Amino acid sequence: MRSVLLFLLGAFLFSLPFPLFFGPQGPLGLPPFYLYLFLAWGGLILLLYLGVRR
């Protein structure tokens, strides 16, 4: 059940309207799109690790 919920979360996170993220520079001079992409990806990997570890 957790795997299905994690898949749905990933599908939701990566189907958002990406043109909203193409704008001015974010923190540390990085574009907001890259920050969102890598933080969402890292968060999904962390949740997957915590789910499999049990």
Side-chain angles (χ1 to χ4, degrees):
M1 183 67 179
R2 288 185 201 143
S3 300
V4 173
L5 291 176
L6 191 59
F7 170 77
L8 292 174
L9 176 65
F12 173 74
L13 286 175
F14 292 111
S15 67
L16 292 175
F18 286 129
L20 293 176
F21 295 106
F22 294 108
Q25 298 293 325
L28 302 174
L30 296 172
F33 175 72
Y34 293 125
L35 289 174
Y36 172 78
L37 187 68
F38 287 111
L39 287 175
W41 181 47
L44 282 174
I45 290 173
L46 178 66
L47 288 174
L48 180 63
Y49 168 74
L50 292 174
V52 171
R53 191 176 68 158
R54 289 185 175 187

CSV table of all heavy atoms in Angstrom, one decimal:
chain,number,residue,atom,x,y,z
A,1,MET,N,0.8,-1.2,0.0
A,1,MET,CA,0.0,0.0,0.0
A,1,MET,C,0.9,1.3,0.0
A,1,MET,O,0.6,2.2,-0.7
A,1,MET,CB,-0.9,-0.1,1.2
A,1,MET,CG,-1.9,1.1,1.3
A,1,MET,SD,-3.0,1.0,-0.1
A,1,MET,CE,-4.0,2.4,0.2
A,2,ARG,N,2.0,1.2,0.8
A,2,ARG,CA,2.8,2.4,0.8
A,2,ARG,C,3.5,2.7,-0.5
A,2,ARG,O,3.7,3.8,-0.9
A,2,ARG,CB,4.0,2.2,1.9
A,2,ARG,CG,3.5,2.3,3.3
A,2,ARG,CD,4.7,2.2,4.2
A,2,ARG,NE,4.2,1.7,5.5
A,2,ARG,CZ,4.9,0.9,6.3
A,2,ARG,NH1,6.0,0.5,5.9
A,2,ARG,NH2,4.4,0.6,7.5
A,3,SER,N,3.8,1.6,-1.3
A,3,SER,CA,4.4,1.8,-2.6
A,3,SER,C,3.5,2.5,-3.5
A,3,SER,O,3.9,3.3,-4.3
A,3,SER,CB,4.9,0.4,-3.1
A,3,SER,OG,5.8,-0.2,-2.3
A,4,VAL,N,2.2,2.1,-3.5
A,4,VAL,CA,1.2,2.7,-4.3
A,4,VAL,C,1.1,4.2,-4.0
A,4,VAL,O,1.0,5.1,-4.9
A,4,VAL,CB,-0.1,2.0,-4.3
A,4,VAL,CG1,-1.2,2.7,-5.0
A,4,VAL,CG2,0.0,0.6,-4.7
A,5,LEU,N,1.0,4.5,-2.7
A,5,LEU,CA,0.9,5.9,-2.3
A,5,LEU,C,2.1,6.7,-2.7
A,5,LEU,O,2.0,7.9,-3.1
A,5,LEU,CB,0.6,6.0,-0.8
A,5,LEU,CG,-0.7,5.5,-0.3
A,5,LEU,CD1,-0.8,5.5,1.2
A,5,LEU,CD2,-1.9,6.3,-0.9
A,6,LEU,N,3.3,6.1,-2.6
A,6,LEU,CA,4.5,6.8,-2.9
A,6,LEU,C,4.5,7.0,-4.5
A,6,LEU,O,4.9,8.1,-4.9
A,6,LEU,CB,5.7,6.0,-2.5
A,6,LEU,CG,7.0,6.7,-2.6
A,6,LEU,CD1,7.1,7.9,-1.8
A,6,LEU,CD2,8.1,5.7,-2.2
A,7,PHE,N,4.1,6.1,-5.2
A,7,PHE,CA,4.0,6.3,-6.7
A,7,PHE,C,3.0,7.4,-7.0
A,7,PHE,O,3.3,8.3,-7.9
A,7,PHE,CB,3.5,5.0,-7.4
A,7,PHE,CG,3.2,5.2,-8.8
A,7,PHE,CD1,4.2,5.3,-9.7
A,7,PHE,CD2,1.8,5.3,-9.2
A,7,PHE,CE1,3.8,5.5,-11.1
A,7,PHE,CE2,1.5,5.5,-10.5
A,7,PHE,CZ,2.5,5.6,-11.5
A,8,LEU,N,1.9,7.5,-6.4
A,8,LEU,CA,0.9,8.5,-6.6
A,8,LEU,C,1.4,9.9,-6.2
A,8,LEU,O,1.2,10.9,-6.9
A,8,LEU,CB,-0.4,8.2,-5.9
A,8,LEU,CG,-1.2,7.0,-6.4
A,8,LEU,CD1,-2.4,6.8,-5.5
A,8,LEU,CD2,-1.6,7.3,-7.9
A,9,LEU,N,2.2,9.9,-5.1
A,9,LEU,CA,2.8,11.2,-4.7
A,9,LEU,C,3.8,11.6,-5.8
A,9,LEU,O,3.9,12.8,-6.2
A,9,LEU,CB,3.5,11.0,-3.4
A,9,LEU,CG,4.3,12.2,-2.9
A,9,LEU,CD1,3.3,13.4,-2.6
A,9,LEU,CD2,5.1,11.9,-1.6
A,10,GLY,N,4.6,10.7,-6.3
A,10,GLY,CA,5.6,11.0,-7.3
A,10,GLY,C,4.9,11.5,-8.6
A,10,GLY,O,5.4,12.5,-9.2
A,11,ALA,N,3.9,10.8,-9.0
A,11,ALA,CA,3.2,11.2,-10.2
A,11,ALA,C,2.6,12.6,-10.0
A,11,ALA,O,2.6,13.4,-11.0
A,11,ALA,CB,2.1,10.2,-10.5
A,12,PHE,N,2.1,12.9,-8.8
A,12,PHE,CA,1.5,14.3,-8.6
A,12,PHE,C,2.6,15.3,-8.6
A,12,PHE,O,2.5,16.4,-9.2
A,12,PHE,CB,0.8,14.3,-7.3
A,12,PHE,CG,0.3,15.7,-6.8
A,12,PHE,CD1,-0.7,16.3,-7.5
A,12,PHE,CD2,1.0,16.3,-5.8
A,12,PHE,CE1,-1.2,17.5,-7.1
A,12,PHE,CE2,0.6,17.6,-5.5
A,12,PHE,CZ,-0.5,18.2,-6.1
A,13,LEU,N,3.8,15.0,-7.9
A,13,LEU,CA,4.8,16.0,-7.9
A,13,LEU,C,5.4,16.4,-9.2
A,13,LEU,O,5.8,17.5,-9.5
A,13,LEU,CB,5.9,15.5,-6.9
A,13,LEU,CG,5.6,15.6,-5.4
A,13,LEU,CD1,6.8,14.9,-4.7
A,13,LEU,CD2,5.4,17.0,-5.0
A,14,PHE,N,5.6,15.4,-10.1
A,14,PHE,CA,6.2,15.6,-11.4
A,14,PHE,C,5.2,15.9,-12.5
A,14,PHE,O,5.6,15.9,-13.6
A,14,PHE,CB,7.1,14.4,-11.7
A,14,PHE,CG,8.3,14.3,-10.8
A,14,PHE,CD1,8.4,13.3,-9.9
A,14,PHE,CD2,9.3,15.3,-10.8
A,14,PHE,CE1,9.5,13.2,-9.0
A,14,PHE,CE2,10.3,15.2,-9.9
A,14,PHE,CZ,10.4,14.2,-9.0
A,15,SER,N,3.9,16.1,-12.2
A,15,SER,CA,3.0,16.4,-13.2
A,15,SER,C,2.5,17.9,-13.0
A,15,SER,O,1.5,18.3,-13.7
A,15,SER,CB,1.8,15.5,-13.3
A,15,SER,OG,1.1,15.6,-12.1
A,16,LEU,N,3.1,18.6,-12.1
A,16,LEU,CA,2.7,20.0,-11.9
A,16,LEU,C,3.1,20.8,-13.1
A,16,LEU,O,4.0,20.5,-13.9
A,16,LEU,CB,3.4,20.5,-10.7
A,16,LEU,CG,3.0,19.9,-9.3
A,16,LEU,CD1,3.9,20.5,-8.2
A,16,LEU,CD2,1.6,20.2,-9.1
A,17,PRO,N,2.5,22.0,-13.3
A,17,PRO,CA,2.8,22.8,-14.4
A,17,PRO,C,4.2,23.4,-14.3
A,17,PRO,O,4.4,24.4,-13.6
A,17,PRO,CB,1.7,23.9,-14.4
A,17,PRO,CG,1.2,23.9,-13.0
A,17,PRO,CD,1.4,22.5,-12.4
A,18,PHE,N,5.2,22.8,-15.0
A,18,PHE,CA,6.5,23.3,-14.8
A,18,PHE,C,6.8,24.7,-15.3
A,18,PHE,O,7.8,25.3,-14.8
A,18,PHE,CB,7.5,22.3,-15.5
A,18,PHE,CG,7.6,21.0,-14.8
A,18,PHE,CD1,7.4,19.8,-15.4
A,18,PHE,CD2,8.0,21.0,-13.5
A,18,PHE,CE1,7.6,18.6,-14.8
A,18,PHE,CE2,8.1,19.8,-12.8
A,18,PHE,CZ,7.9,18.6,-13.4
A,19,PRO,N,6.1,25.3,-16.3
A,19,PRO,CA,6.4,26.7,-16.7
A,19,PRO,C,6.3,27.7,-15.5
A,19,PRO,O,6.8,28.8,-15.6
A,19,PRO,CB,5.3,27.0,-17.7
A,19,PRO,CG,5.0,25.6,-18.3
A,19,PRO,CD,5.1,24.7,-17.1
A,20,LEU,N,5.6,27.3,-14.5
A,20,LEU,CA,5.6,28.2,-13.3
A,20,LEU,C,6.9,28.4,-12.7
A,20,LEU,O,7.2,29.4,-12.0
A,20,LEU,CB,4.6,27.7,-12.2
A,20,LEU,CG,3.1,27.7,-12.6
A,20,LEU,CD1,2.3,27.0,-11.5
A,20,LEU,CD2,2.6,29.1,-12.9
A,21,PHE,N,7.8,27.5,-12.9
A,21,PHE,CA,9.1,27.5,-12.2
A,21,PHE,C,10.2,28.2,-13.0
A,21,PHE,O,11.3,28.4,-12.6
A,21,PHE,CB,9.6,26.1,-11.9
A,21,PHE,CG,8.7,25.4,-10.9
A,21,PHE,CD1,7.9,24.4,-11.4
A,21,PHE,CD2,8.8,25.7,-9.6
A,21,PHE,CE1,7.1,23.7,-10.4
A,21,PHE,CE2,8.0,25.1,-8.7
A,21,PHE,CZ,7.1,24.1,-9.1
A,22,PHE,N,9.9,28.6,-14.2
A,22,PHE,CA,10.8,29.3,-15.1
A,22,PHE,C,10.7,30.8,-14.8
A,22,PHE,O,9.9,31.5,-15.4
A,22,PHE,CB,10.7,29.0,-16.5
A,22,PHE,CG,11.0,27.6,-16.8
A,22,PHE,CD1,10.0,26.7,-17.1
A,22,PHE,CD2,12.3,27.1,-16.8
A,22,PHE,CE1,10.3,25.4,-17.4
A,22,PHE,CE2,12.6,25.8,-17.1
A,22,PHE,CZ,11.6,24.9,-17.4
A,23,GLY,N,11.5,31.4,-13.9
A,23,GLY,CA,11.4,32.8,-13.6
A,23,GLY,C,12.7,33.3,-13.1
A,23,GLY,O,13.8,32.8,-13.5
A,24,PRO,N,12.7,34.2,-12.2
A,24,PRO,CA,13.9,34.8,-11.7
A,24,PRO,C,14.7,33.8,-10.9
A,24,PRO,O,14.3,32.7,-10.6
A,24,PRO,CB,13.5,36.0,-10.8
A,24,PRO,CG,12.1,35.6,-10.5
A,24,PRO,CD,11.5,34.8,-11.6
A,25,GLN,N,16.0,34.2,-10.6
A,25,GLN,CA,16.9,33.3,-9.9
A,25,GLN,C,16.3,33.0,-8.5
A,25,GLN,O,15.8,33.9,-7.8
A,25,GLN,CB,18.3,33.9,-9.8
A,25,GLN,CG,18.9,34.1,-11.2
A,25,GLN,CD,19.2,32.8,-11.8
A,25,GLN,OE1,19.5,31.8,-11.2
A,25,GLN,NE2,19.0,32.7,-13.1
A,26,GLY,N,16.6,31.9,-8.0
A,26,GLY,CA,16.2,31.5,-6.6
A,26,GLY,C,17.4,31.6,-5.7
A,26,GLY,O,18.3,32.3,-6.0
A,27,PRO,N,17.3,31.0,-4.5
A,27,PRO,CA,18.4,31.1,-3.6
A,27,PRO,C,19.7,30.5,-4.2
A,27,PRO,O,19.6,29.5,-4.9
A,27,PRO,CB,17.9,30.3,-2.4
A,27,PRO,CG,16.7,29.6,-2.8
A,27,PRO,CD,16.2,30.2,-4.0
A,28,LEU,N,20.8,31.0,-3.8
A,28,LEU,CA,22.1,30.6,-4.3
A,28,LEU,C,22.3,30.7,-5.8
A,28,LEU,O,23.1,30.1,-6.4
A,28,LEU,CB,22.4,29.2,-3.8
A,28,LEU,CG,22.4,28.9,-2.4
A,28,LEU,CD1,22.6,27.4,-2.1
A,28,LEU,CD2,23.4,29.7,-1.6
A,29,GLY,N,21.4,31.5,-6.4
A,29,GLY,CA,21.5,31.7,-7.9
A,29,GLY,C,21.0,30.6,-8.7
A,29,GLY,O,21.2,30.6,-9.9
A,30,LEU,N,20.4,29.6,-8.1
A,30,LEU,CA,19.9,28.5,-8.9
A,30,LEU,C,18.4,28.8,-9.4
A,30,LEU,O,17.7,29.4,-8.6
A,30,LEU,CB,19.9,27.2,-8.0
A,30,LEU,CG,21.2,26.7,-7.6
A,30,LEU,CD1,21.1,25.6,-6.6
A,30,LEU,CD2,22.0,26.3,-8.8
A,31,PRO,N,18.1,28.3,-10.5
A,31,PRO,CA,16.7,28.5,-11.0
A,31,PRO,C,15.7,27.6,-10.1
A,31,PRO,O,16.1,26.5,-9.7
A,31,PRO,CB,16.7,27.9,-12.4
A,31,PRO,CG,18.1,27.9,-12.8
A,31,PRO,CD,18.9,27.7,-11.6
A,32,PRO,N,14.6,28.2,-9.8
A,32,PRO,CA,13.6,27.4,-9.0
A,32,PRO,C,13.2,26.1,-9.5
A,32,PRO,O,12.9,25.1,-8.7
A,32,PRO,CB,12.4,28.3,-8.9
A,32,PRO,CG,12.9,29.7,-9.3
A,32,PRO,CD,14.1,29.5,-10.2
A,33,PHE,N,13.2,25.9,-10.8
A,33,PHE,CA,12.9,24.6,-11.4
A,33,PHE,C,13.8,23.5,-11.0
A,33,PHE,O,13.4,22.4,-10.6
A,33,PHE,CB,12.9,24.7,-12.9
A,33,PHE,CG,12.7,23.4,-13.6
A,33,PHE,CD1,11.4,22.8,-13.6
A,33,PHE,CD2,13.7,22.7,-14.3
A,33,PHE,CE1,11.2,21.6,-14.2
A,33,PHE,CE2,13.5,21.5,-14.9
A,33,PHE,CZ,12.2,21.0,-14.9
A,34,TYR,N,15.1,23.8,-11.0
A,34,TYR,CA,16.1,22.8,-10.6
A,34,TYR,C,16.0,22.5,-9.1
A,34,TYR,O,16.2,21.3,-8.7
A,34,TYR,CB,17.5,23.2,-10.9
A,34,TYR,CG,17.8,23.3,-12.4
A,34,TYR,CD1,18.3,24.5,-13.0
A,34,TYR,CD2,17.5,22.2,-13.2
A,34,TYR,CE1,18.5,24.5,-14.4
A,34,TYR,CE2,17.7,22.3,-14.6
A,34,TYR,CZ,18.2,23.4,-15.2
A,34,TYR,OH,18.4,23.5,-16.5
A,35,LEU,N,15.8,23.5,-8.3
A,35,LEU,CA,15.6,23.3,-6.9
A,35,LEU,C,14.5,22.4,-6.6
A,35,LEU,O,14.6,21.4,-5.8
A,35,LEU,CB,15.5,24.6,-6.1
A,35,LEU,CG,16.7,25.5,-6.0
A,35,LEU,CD1,16.3,26.8,-5.4
A,35,LEU,CD2,17.8,24.8,-5.2
A,36,TYR,N,13.3,22.7,-7.2
A,36,TYR,CA,12.1,21.8,-7.0
A,36,TYR,C,12.4,20.4,-7.5
A,36,TYR,O,12.0,19.5,-6.8
A,36,TYR,CB,10.9,22.5,-7.8
A,36,TYR,CG,9.7,21.6,-7.7
A,36,TYR,CD1,8.9,21.5,-6.6
A,36,TYR,CD2,9.4,20.8,-8.8
A,36,TYR,CE1,7.8,20.7,-6.6
A,36,TYR,CE2,8.3,20.0,-8.8
A,36,TYR,CZ,7.5,19.9,-7.7
A,36,TYR,OH,6.4,19.1,-7.6
A,37,LEU,N,12.9,20.3,-8.7
A,37,LEU,CA,13.1,19.0,-9.3
A,37,LEU,C,14.0,18.1,-8.4
A,37,LEU,O,13.6,16.9,-8.0
A,37,LEU,CB,13.8,19.1,-10.6
A,37,LEU,CG,13.9,17.8,-11.5
A,37,LEU,CD1,12.6,17.3,-11.9
A,37,LEU,CD2,14.8,18.1,-12.7
A,38,PHE,N,15.1,18.6,-7.9
A,38,PHE,CA,16.0,17.8,-7.1
A,38,PHE,C,15.6,17.6,-5.7
A,38,PHE,O,15.8,16.5,-5.1
A,38,PHE,CB,17.4,18.3,-7.1
A,38,PHE,CG,18.1,18.1,-8.5
A,38,PHE,CD1,18.4,19.1,-9.3
A,38,PHE,CD2,18.4,16.8,-8.9
A,38,PHE,CE1,19.0,18.9,-10.6
A,38,PHE,CE2,19.0,16.6,-10.1
A,38,PHE,CZ,19.3,17.6,-11.0
A,39,LEU,N,14.9,18.6,-5.1
A,39,LEU,CA,14.3,18.4,-3.8
A,39,LEU,C,13.2,17.4,-3.8
A,39,LEU,O,13.1,16.5,-2.9
A,39,LEU,CB,13.9,19.7,-3.2
A,39,LEU,CG,15.0,20.7,-2.8
A,39,LEU,CD1,14.4,22.0,-2.3
A,39,LEU,CD2,15.8,20.0,-1.7
A,40,ALA,N,12.3,17.4,-4.8
A,40,ALA,CA,11.2,16.4,-4.9
A,40,ALA,C,11.8,15.0,-5.1
A,40,ALA,O,11.3,14.1,-4.5
A,40,ALA,CB,10.3,16.8,-6.0
A,41,TRP,N,12.8,14.9,-6.0
A,41,TRP,CA,13.4,13.6,-6.3
A,41,TRP,C,14.1,13.1,-5.0
A,41,TRP,O,13.9,11.9,-4.7
A,41,TRP,CB,14.4,13.8,-7.4
A,41,TRP,CG,15.1,12.6,-7.9
A,41,TRP,CD1,14.6,11.4,-8.2
A,41,TRP,CD2,16.5,12.5,-8.1
A,41,TRP,NE1,15.6,10.5,-8.6
A,41,TRP,CE2,16.7,11.2,-8.6
A,41,TRP,CE3,17.6,13.4,-8.0
A,41,TRP,CZ2,18.0,10.8,-8.9
A,41,TRP,CZ3,18.8,12.9,-8.3
A,41,TRP,CH2,19.0,11.6,-8.8
A,42,GLY,N,14.8,13.9,-4.3
A,42,GLY,CA,15.5,13.4,-3.1
A,42,GLY,C,14.5,13.1,-2.0
A,42,GLY,O,14.7,12.1,-1.3
A,43,GLY,N,13.4,13.8,-1.9
A,43,GLY,CA,12.4,13.5,-0.9
A,43,GLY,C,11.7,12.1,-1.2
A,43,GLY,O,11.4,11.4,-0.3
A,44,LEU,N,11.5,11.9,-2.5
A,44,LEU,CA,10.9,10.6,-2.9
A,44,LEU,C,11.8,9.4,-2.6
A,44,LEU,O,11.4,8.4,-2.1
A,44,LEU,CB,10.5,10.6,-4.3
A,44,LEU,CG,9.2,11.3,-4.7
A,44,LEU,CD1,9.0,11.3,-6.2
A,44,LEU,CD2,8.0,10.7,-4.0
A,45,ILE,N,13.1,9.6,-2.8
A,45,ILE,CA,14.1,8.6,-2.5
A,45,ILE,C,14.2,8.4,-1.0
A,45,ILE,O,14.2,7.2,-0.6
A,45,ILE,CB,15.5,8.9,-3.1
A,45,ILE,CG1,15.4,8.9,-4.6
A,45,ILE,CG2,16.6,8.0,-2.5
A,45,ILE,CD1,16.6,9.4,-5.3
A,46,LEU,N,14.1,9.4,-0.2
A,46,LEU,CA,14.2,9.3,1.2
A,46,LEU,C,12.9,8.5,1.7
A,46,LEU,O,13.0,7.6,2.6
A,46,LEU,CB,14.3,10.7,1.9
A,46,LEU,CG,14.3,10.7,3.4
A,46,LEU,CD1,15.5,10.0,4.0
A,46,LEU,CD2,14.1,12.1,3.9
A,47,LEU,N,11.8,8.9,1.2
A,47,LEU,CA,10.5,8.2,1.6
A,47,LEU,C,10.6,6.7,1.2
A,47,LEU,O,10.1,5.9,2.0
A,47,LEU,CB,9.3,8.9,1.1
A,47,LEU,CG,9.0,10.2,1.7
A,47,LEU,CD1,7.8,10.9,0.9
A,47,LEU,CD2,8.6,10.1,3.1
A,48,LEU,N,11.1,6.4,0.1
A,48,LEU,CA,11.2,5.0,-0.4
A,48,LEU,C,12.2,4.3,0.5
A,48,LEU,O,11.9,3.1,0.9
A,48,LEU,CB,11.7,5.0,-1.8
A,48,LEU,CG,11.9,3.6,-2.5
A,48,LEU,CD1,10.5,2.9,-2.5
A,48,LEU,CD2,12.5,3.8,-3.8
A,49,TYR,N,13.3,4.9,0.9
A,49,TYR,CA,14.2,4.2,1.8
A,49,TYR,C,13.6,3.9,3.1
A,49,TYR,O,13.7,2.9,3.7
A,49,TYR,CB,15.5,5.1,2.0
A,49,TYR,CG,16.4,4.7,3.1
A,49,TYR,CD1,17.2,3.5,2.9
A,49,TYR,CD2,16.4,5.4,4.3
A,49,TYR,CE1,18.0,3.1,4.0
A,49,TYR,CE2,17.2,4.9,5.3
A,49,TYR,CZ,18.0,3.8,5.2
A,49,TYR,OH,18.8,3.4,6.2
A,50,LEU,N,12.9,4.9,3.7
A,50,LEU,CA,12.2,4.7,5.0
A,50,LEU,C,11.1,3.7,4.9
A,50,LEU,O,10.9,2.9,5.9
A,50,LEU,CB,11.6,6.0,5.5
A,50,LEU,CG,12.7,7.1,5.9
A,50,LEU,CD1,12.0,8.4,6.2
A,50,LEU,CD2,13.6,6.7,7.0
A,51,GLY,N,10.5,3.6,3.8
A,51,GLY,CA,9.4,2.5,3.6
A,51,GLY,C,10.0,1.2,3.4
A,51,GLY,O,9.4,0.2,3.9
A,52,VAL,N,11.1,1.0,2.8
A,52,VAL,CA,11.7,-0.3,2.5
A,52,VAL,C,12.4,-0.8,3.7
A,52,VAL,O,12.5,-2.0,4.0
A,52,VAL,CB,12.6,-0.2,1.3
A,52,VAL,CG1,13.4,-1.5,1.1
A,52,VAL,CG2,11.8,0.0,0.0
A,53,ARG,N,13.0,0.1,4.5
A,53,ARG,CA,13.8,-0.2,5.7
A,53,ARG,C,13.0,-1.0,6.7
A,53,ARG,O,13.5,-1.9,7.4
A,53,ARG,CB,14.4,1.0,6.3
A,53,ARG,CG,15.4,0.8,7.3
A,53,ARG,CD,16.0,2.1,7.8
A,53,ARG,NE,15.0,2.8,8.6
A,53,ARG,CZ,15.3,3.7,9.5
A,53,ARG,NH1,16.5,4.1,9.7
A,53,ARG,NH2,14.3,4.3,10.1
A,54,ARG,N,11.7,-0.8,6.8
A,54,ARG,CA,10.9,-1.5,7.8
A,54,ARG,C,10.7,-2.9,7.5
A,54,ARG,O,10.7,-3.6,6.7
A,54,ARG,CB,9.6,-0.8,7.9
A,54,ARG,CG,9.7,0.5,8.6
A,54,ARG,CD,8.3,1.1,8.8
A,54,ARG,NE,8.5,2.3,9.6
A,54,ARG,CZ,7.5,3.0,10.1
A,54,ARG,NH1,6.3,2.6,9.9
A,54,ARG,NH2,7.7,4.1,10.8
